[in-house]
Amino acid sequence: MRCGEGRLRDGGSGPVVNGVVIVGAGLAAVRTAEQLRRNGYTDPITVVGAEEHPPYDRPPLSKQMLRGEVDSVALKPAGFYEDNGIELRLGCPARAVDVAAHTVTLADGEVLGYDQLVIATGLVPNRIPAFGDLDGICVLRSLDDCVALQYRAAKARRAVVIGAGFIGCEVAASLRGLGVQVVLVEPQPTPLASVLGEQAGALIARLHRDEGVDVRTGVAVDSVSGGERVEAVTLADGSVIEADLVVVGIGSRPATDWLAGSHVDVADGVVCDAVGRTSAPDVWAIGDVASWRDATGAQVRVEHWSNVADQAKTLVAAMLNSEAVVSPAVPYFWSDQYDIKIQCLGRPRSGDTVHLVDDDGRRFLAYYERDGVLIAVVGAGIPEKVRTARAGIAAGVPISDVLQPA
């Protein structure tokens, strides 16, 4: 159902009443709806999405979809939602929530009532307002962003990718695969320095340089210039890079603006307890937008695909007053760049001691130590060795136990 096509319950004049309303139509929404049905929930489920597209998978956007290797990234077949009694309300973002009245107001003015509300709105990409509206400046978060970038990449000769986080690195790799010359600019000392540390970041920079990417680190972008289209990027060190395509990949922020004044606590995401319950009654949050309390009492917001399924099990169990499922203690994420899958188990920090135990010039394996304990492992192109470290990270084994065999 599209925006503006709402209907009133029983012909009344009040808001549409749904059992569970999920705001956000991505992976977190689908996993939550699936889990509700698997747990025997039979009341209505309504998924509200800002985009016109049915829920789709985002990781391929910077990789297979951008390179034109896949035509569809839909999460479920077309009939899945009807078969499972899940109503999609697409192309109409939520604008406000009244937690006292248990209602959500959509952009077209329609009001939906809820028994339980799940916030799954994800992230909004950061932009650089000073760059203006020059044609050829792109971000990549949505399917429409990907289609627009794909169109421009087909005509581009030289691209500047601003930001060497996961999205920036993946886009740089995909553009190289399309034959575009790429300059990757990052103000930190290495790509992914804040996530994986400088030592692993330097190895990732090596991978990109080996593939022909001009990696510029330790320098910020000063300005972008051109006529109607982007023509050049000027760095803070005064160097000028010719470019007909600029991709801004400087991170994202939680999509929480619509919650202003709602009495739902927000601080770098929607603040939740250990099972996804927010400060407002009958309101929950999941996925990239949600900051859950971990076993140490810290608020943690995890922006990784693999986290969502575990959160959905935990949240739905708590919502339905079942025995809560404890999420795994070892986070996992990955990034595909060229022919290499970069994988991480655990939560590395930039200040951890890094032990590089395998490096053949392209593939590598690194153990992360904190206070003498194995905290995380990062591997590039060595998936079997990464997997074997999971138990040790979960158990907090001494780093000497894993270094001795190596």
Side-chain angles (χ1 to χ4, degrees), residues 286-323:
I286 185 173
D288 295 349
V289 75
S291 174
W292 282 33
R293 189 168 62 243
D294 70 8
T296 70
Q299 292 298 138
V300 178
R301 191 170 57 79
V302 180
E303 297 181 9
H304 301 305
W305 190 94
S306 57
N307 179 63
V308 171
D310 297 317
Q311 282 192 337
K313 293 175 184 177
T314 301
L315 183 154
V316 168
M319 180 187 291
L320 301 182
N321 297 314
S322 303
E323 183 177 351

Side-chain angles (χ1 to χ4, degrees), residues 2 83 183-184 229 319 381:
R2 303 294 171 179
D83 292 345
V183 180
L184 181 60
R229 289 186 53 83
M319 180 187 291

Side-chain angles (χ1 to χ4, degrees), residues 258-399:
W258 68 285
L259 295 171
S262 68
H263 303 292
V264 175
D265 287 349
V266 173
D268 185 33
V270 179
V271 179
C272 302
D273 65 8
V275 296
R277 187 183 290 107
T278 75
S279 59
D282 303 320
V283 180
W284 311 74
I286 185 173
D288 295 349
V289 75
S291 174
W292 282 33
R293 189 168 62 243
D294 70 8
T296 70
Q299 292 298 138
V300 178
R301 191 170 57 79
V302 180
E303 297 181 9
H304 301 305
W305 190 94
S306 57
N307 179 63
V308 171
D310 297 317
Q311 282 192 337
K313 293 175 184 177
T314 301
L315 183 154
V316 168
M319 180 187 291
L320 301 182
N321 297 314
S322 303
E323 183 177 351
V325 179
V326 178
S327 297
V330 184
Y332 169 74
F333 62 89
W334 76 95
S335 174
D336 294 319
Q337 300 176 32
Y338 308 104
D339 61 335
I340 298 293
K341 182 178 289 293
I342 300 166
Q343 298 170 290
C344 176
L345 278 169
R347 290 196 181 103
R349 296 177 186 168
S350 58
D352 293 338
T353 300
V354 179
H355 301 271
L356 186 63
V357 296
D358 199 338
D359 180 14
D360 69 358
R362 187 172 179 86
R363 294 169 173 81
F364 67 85
L365 181 71
Y367 293 133
Y368 288 68
E369 172 194 351
R370 193 181 311 151
D371 299 327
V373 171
L374 176 66
I375 291 296
V377 60
V378 174
I382 313 179
E384 65 284 353
K385 292 186 178 180
V386 173
R387 285 194 295 269
T388 59
R390 181 184 292 273
I393 296 169
V397 300
I399 190 68

Side-chain angles (χ1 to χ4, degrees), residues 8-20:
L8 299 176
R9 186 181 186 186
D10 298 328
S13 58
V16 178
V17 178
N18 294 295
V20 174

